[in-house]
Amino acid sequence: NSFLTEQNIPYDIANAIAPLSMCSLTKSVSVGIALSKIKETTPVEFKTLVETAVRVKRLAKNAKQNIKVNSALFKESIENEALNELTSISKKAEQENHSKPTTLLALTQPMINYFDKVLVMDKDDKTKQNRLAFLSNADNLYTNFANFEEISI
């Protein structure tokens, strides 16, 4: 972490991206600088991004392993919309080698809309597990950039 903070990356962001440095120090520095810039230049959007990523992570922890998202189980149109956004943004992030966290900003509003209209912990277990699987996929995307629970807002 000291190397990351020496690159003018704030301590909390350095902690959040520290696991990335195990794979690629160059990528972790790039992500850290980009997150720092977002935090500095658009603090409201940054706060919303972090809050959304943390909310996703906390719910995704309830997901059962190896369950794939089944769009046939969706009850709300926003579920398909959010899945389509997640798929599109995940592809873009993968093409960029998960090095541009600005990509995640495009997922924030669809996830907010999702949470506004969808009760994740549905009384029907199949529906609930499907929704948790979706959130687990979203969490995997966020985690490719940082552990947002480590970031102070």
Side-chain angles (χ1 to χ4, degrees), residues 8-23:
N8 295 320
I9 297 171
Y11 187 77
D12 60 330
I13 293 176
N15 282 340
I17 62 171
L20 294 177
S21 63
M22 301 296 185
C23 298

Side-chain angles (χ1 to χ4, degrees), residues 23-153:
C23 298
S24 169
L25 194 54
T26 304
K27 177 183 168 185
S28 64
V29 170
S30 173
V31 169
I33 290 170
L35 284 172
S36 300
K37 185 176 179 184
I38 296 167
K39 185 176 185 177
E40 184 180 307
T41 59
T42 55
V44 173
E45 288 85 352
F46 183 78
K47 180 179 186 283
T48 306
L49 167 64
V50 171
E51 289 171 343
T52 303
V54 169
R55 186 175 186 186
V56 167
K57 182 178 210 57
R58 290 181 180 166
L59 282 166
K61 287 179 183 175
N62 296 306
K64 291 181 180 174
Q65 297 295 323
N66 301 322
I67 294 181
K68 294 194 184 283
V69 177
N70 180 354
S71 61
L73 294 175
F74 289 160
K75 295 180 180 178
E76 308 291 336
S77 61
I78 189 66
E79 292 179 275
N80 276 312
E81 293 168 24
L83 179 61
N84 291 339
E85 287 292 326
L86 175 62
T87 302
S88 172
I89 292 165
S90 293
K91 285 179 184 174
K92 183 177 181 187
E94 196 169 307
Q95 290 168 349
E96 297 168 344
N97 194 29
H98 300 100
S99 62
K100 297 181 181 176
T102 52
T103 308
L104 294 176
L105 293 172
L107 186 58
T108 302
Q109 194 56 53
M111 292 308 298
I112 290 170
N113 295 343
Y114 179 87
F115 285 126
D116 284 348
K117 296 181 180 165
V118 173
L119 175 64
V120 174
M121 301 308 239
D122 195 89
K123 57 187 167 195
D124 177 67
D125 193 55
K126 282 187 179 183
T127 301
K128 177 176 82 172
Q129 289 306 320
N130 195 52
R131 290 174 176 170
L132 290 170
F134 163 72
L135 292 176
S136 181
N137 290 348
D139 182 50
N140 288 339
L141 175 62
Y142 286 115
T143 303
N144 276 314
F145 288 93
N147 177 0
F148 285 89
E149 288 182 309
E150 294 289 330
I151 297 177
S152 301
I153 49 173

